[in-house]
């Protein structure tokens, strides 16, 4: 969650700044409409209940965040109109940060799942099945009929053949990890580099 919030900070800078400016504008306007009112307030607050700008800013912030303590209430028609605008504006602007953070959280979670799937795939191929590089190359060639690329269908067949127990949805997500250009075709060499990069470097083998 903290990573999602961190990635959202830049995107939230503009709407949050606009929210503060909008709140300050409503506060100043409401203060001039309500300040000095001696009549027409029937809520028990007495005359001049918006005594200064900071108090009015407090009221607008409470209103825009939909908290609504009820400690201050506008008396004039203009003041109530500004307060209504602040309520609606608060609902709109509060939805923006939630949407941005929610989107980034979803993306972060999807990336985490993709990373875990990739680790699971590597461990299954190399640890559980103990497939060496040469065996894996032969298996890939057999699955793809000697093609230099692998499609989702090929990957699905590979997953079934090596006995990896994952759903079709997770297999598709695993394929998307390899399919960086979203072409629907993943070069076999890319998968091999993911699986055997360290060994290739130690043995001086070029994949």
């Amino acid at each position: 969650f903290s990573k999602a919030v961190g990635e959202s900070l830049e995107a939230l800078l503009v709407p949050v700044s606009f929210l503060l400016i909008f709140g300050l504008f409503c506060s100043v306007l409401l203060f001039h409409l309500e300040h000095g009112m001696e009549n027409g307030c029937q809520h028990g607050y007495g005359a001049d209940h918006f005594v200064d700008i900071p108090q009015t800013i407090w009221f607008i912030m409470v209103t825009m965040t939909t908290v609504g303590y009820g400690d201050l209430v506008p008396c004039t028609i203009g003041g109530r109109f500004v307060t209504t605008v602040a309520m609606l504006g608060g609902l709109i602007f509060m939805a923006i940060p939630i949407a941005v953070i929610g989107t980034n959280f979803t993306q972060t979670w999807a990336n985490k799942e993709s990373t875990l799937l990739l680790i699971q795939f590597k461990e299954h191929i190399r640890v559980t099945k103990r497939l060496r590089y040469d065996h894996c190359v032969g298996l890939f060639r057999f699955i793809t009929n000697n093609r230099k690329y692998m499609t989702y269908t090929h990957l699905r067949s590979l997953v079934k053949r090596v006995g990896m127990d994952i759903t079709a949805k997770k297999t598709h997500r695993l394929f998307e990890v390899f399919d960086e250009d979203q072409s629907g075709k993943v070069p076999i060499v890319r998968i091999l580099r993911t699986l055997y990069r360290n060994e290739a470097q130690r043995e001086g083998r070029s994949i």
Side-chain angles (χ1 to χ4, degrees):
F1 179 77
S2 59
K3 183 179 179 181
V5 173
E7 293 178 351
S8 304
L9 290 179
E10 184 176 355
L12 291 176
L13 184 60
V14 173
V16 170
S17 300
F18 193 74
L19 177 63
L20 294 175
I21 294 173
F22 176 75
L24 183 61
F25 173 77
C26 289
S27 300
V28 173
L29 183 59
L30 181 63
F31 174 75
H32 285 289
L33 289 171
E34 294 288 326
H35 181 66
M37 289 296 300
E38 297 180 356
N39 300 306
C41 194
Q42 302 176 358
H43 303 285
Y45 298 101
D48 202 14
H49 51 288
F50 287 92
V51 295
D52 52 27
I53 293 290
Q55 187 183 38
T56 311
I57 292 176
W58 161 256
F59 169 77
I60 288 294
M61 290 297 106
V62 169
T63 300
M64 293 180 67
T65 55
T66 68
V67 176
Y69 287 117
D71 52 345
L72 293 172
V73 178
C75 297
T76 65
I77 295 178
R80 291 174 180 176
F81 176 77
V82 172
T83 302
T84 301
V85 172
M87 284 188 228
L88 297 176
L91 290 173
I92 295 172
F93 288 117
M94 288 296 289
I96 295 176
I98 294 174
V100 172
I101 295 175
T103 300
N104 285 332
F105 178 79
T106 302
Q107 184 61 46
T108 301
W109 185 261
N111 292 339
K112 179 181 178 181
E113 285 190 338
S114 298
T115 302
L116 292 176
L117 269 175
L118 184 58
I119 294 173
Q120 182 182 355
F121 179 67
K122 290 176 65 175
E123 289 184 348
H124 190 84
I125 292 290
R126 301 188 52 192
V127 179
T128 304
K129 293 300 179 180
R130 297 183 180 180
L131 291 178
R132 298 183 58 182
Y133 170 76
D134 296 333
H135 297 158
C136 200
V137 170
L139 179 60
F140 284 8
R141 287 176 178 174
F142 175 76
I143 293 291
T144 62
N145 196 21
N146 287 323
R147 292 184 176 90
K148 294 184 178 181
Y149 62 85
M150 185 176 291
T151 64
Y152 166 74
T153 303
H154 295 146
L155 182 62
R156 184 63 181 162
S157 298
L158 174 64
V159 167
K160 289 181 178 179
R161 182 168 290 273
V162 298
M164 189 175 176
D165 187 20
I166 60 175
T167 62
K169 182 178 180 180
K170 288 186 176 181
T171 305
H172 191 271
R173 184 170 296 172
L174 178 63
F175 181 78
E176 290 177 342
V177 174
F178 294 114
D179 190 17
E180 298 174 355
D181 55 1
Q182 299 180 347
S183 63
K185 297 179 179 179
V186 179
I188 290 179
V189 65
R190 183 181 300 164
I191 303 176
L192 291 173
R193 283 173 179 167
T194 302
L195 293 173
Y196 297 96
R197 183 186 299 273
N198 294 335
E199 285 72 10
Q201 290 177 350
R202 284 199 300 267
E203 298 175 12
R205 179 185 296 169
S206 177
I207 299 178

